[in-house]
Amino acid sequence: MNFDLQDLSGTFTAFDIIVSLALSFVLSAIVGWVYRYTHKNVSYSQSYVQTLVMVGMIVSLIMLVVGSNIARAFALVGALSVIRFRNAIKETRDVGFIFLVMAIGMTTGTRFYLLAIAATAAVCLVMLIMSKFNWFELDVQRQVVKVQVPPEQEYAALVEDTLIRYCTEFELVSTEAVRAGALHELYYTAQLKKGRKPAELIAALSGVNAGQRVTVLTGYDQTDI
């Protein structure tokens, strides 16, 4: 029995299909484990990692289908252009992992197996090294400060005077009306002065905002009053 699949773009065998999909699965799974190992924030998603593996295998299948047929390639681009993704990528590094598994799928689907293995090993090794030695770390801890104040302008001025005393720098990000305009909620990013604590900043802000709500988010911790 002949397992060759013939079409106008050329010939690929059942062995090619098995090797391409199996290798894309293994390499994409390795990328997923590297992503999981090097992930440091609370936004980790098991679904995202599983999607990485799926994308690698699907792109490999697409490349097998396209082959060297230019018309088929344009047809697939047109078909895929109707897809819209509405979930925002939580971290910029996640985009890099998506491109990596897409490259794995493209290389395995076009039967550049050695290139796929070498590229996966090189990129994953770089990610592990950067994670291990914490490359490009910037040791600057910033806080998000949310203060609710009455709408009168003098309260916002008092809040900024307090931030000047407790922070080396701060920036007003946004102002939002809450409680049907009865209060304004001010959003700042700020960097506390050395030796200052978030609780001290909250106590100072609570003394100038007419007893309204104050929230300081530091890293993954939230202090609220």
Side-chain angles (χ1 to χ4, degrees):
M1 181 179 294
N2 185 8
F3 291 95
D4 288 354
L5 302 178
Q6 301 284 344
D7 60 30
L8 295 177
S9 65
T11 302
F12 56 86
T13 66
F15 177 78
D16 293 329
I17 299 172
I18 294 172
V19 172
S20 295
L21 292 179
L23 186 59
S24 63
F25 167 75
V26 172
L27 296 179
S28 298
I30 292 173
V31 171
W33 281 107
V34 171
Y35 174 86
R36 180 177 181 272
Y37 179 79
T38 59
H39 197 280
K40 296 181 179 180
N41 294 335
V42 295
S43 60
Y44 176 80
S45 170
Q46 180 185 14
S47 175
Y48 171 79
V49 180
Q50 292 174 347
T51 302
L52 288 179
V53 179
M54 290 176 57
V55 168
M57 298 182 69
I58 291 170
V59 173
S60 178
L61 177 61
I62 291 174
M63 296 307 298
L64 283 172
V65 171
V66 170
S68 59
N69 192 306
I70 301 300
R72 186 172 299 156
F74 278 106
L76 282 172
V77 170
L80 294 175
S81 66
V82 302
I83 300 175
R84 296 290 184 271
F85 297 97
R86 301 189 182 275
N87 288 342
I89 299 296
K90 296 182 178 65
E91 296 184 29
T92 52
R93 72 191 295 269
D94 293 359
V95 179
F97 281 94
I98 292 175
F99 277 108
L100 177 56
V101 295
M102 289 178 64
I104 290 172
M106 293 174 67
T107 49
T108 55
T110 51
R111 285 161 275 186
F112 289 101
Y113 303 132
L114 183 59
L115 176 60
I117 295 171
T120 302
V123 176
C124 288
L125 180 61
V126 168
M127 290 303 303
L128 290 170
I129 291 174
M130 288 196 296
S131 176
K132 177 69 174 179
F133 296 100
N134 212 15
W135 283 12
F136 313 116
E137 178 191 19
L138 181 61
D139 189 18
V140 175
Q141 188 176 32
R142 298 185 67 86
Q143 289 75 36
V144 175
V145 181
K146 297 192 295 183
V147 188
Q148 291 184 351
V149 296
E152 289 76 18
Q153 185 62 35
E154 59 266 24
Y155 286 100
L158 290 172
V159 168
E160 295 200 354
D161 289 341
T162 303
L163 291 174
I164 290 173
R165 295 201 311 270
Y166 283 83
C167 302
T168 57
E169 59 177 297
F170 66 90
E171 180 182 1
L172 178 63
V173 177
S174 67
T175 303
E176 181 180 350
V178 296
R179 299 185 186 177
L183 295 173
H184 287 173
E185 191 165 59
L186 309 176
Y187 287 75
Y188 295 89
T189 60
Q191 182 179 350
L192 287 174
K193 291 180 179 179
K194 188 174 182 179
R196 294 291 191 179
K197 303 296 183 183
E200 298 175 1
L201 177 60
I202 289 178
L205 290 172
S206 298
V208 299
N209 74 333
Q212 302 301 324
R213 185 175 183 180
V214 179
T215 304
V216 176
L217 291 93
T218 304
Y220 308 126
D221 299 324
Q222 174 174 319
T223 307
D224 198 349
I225 188 171

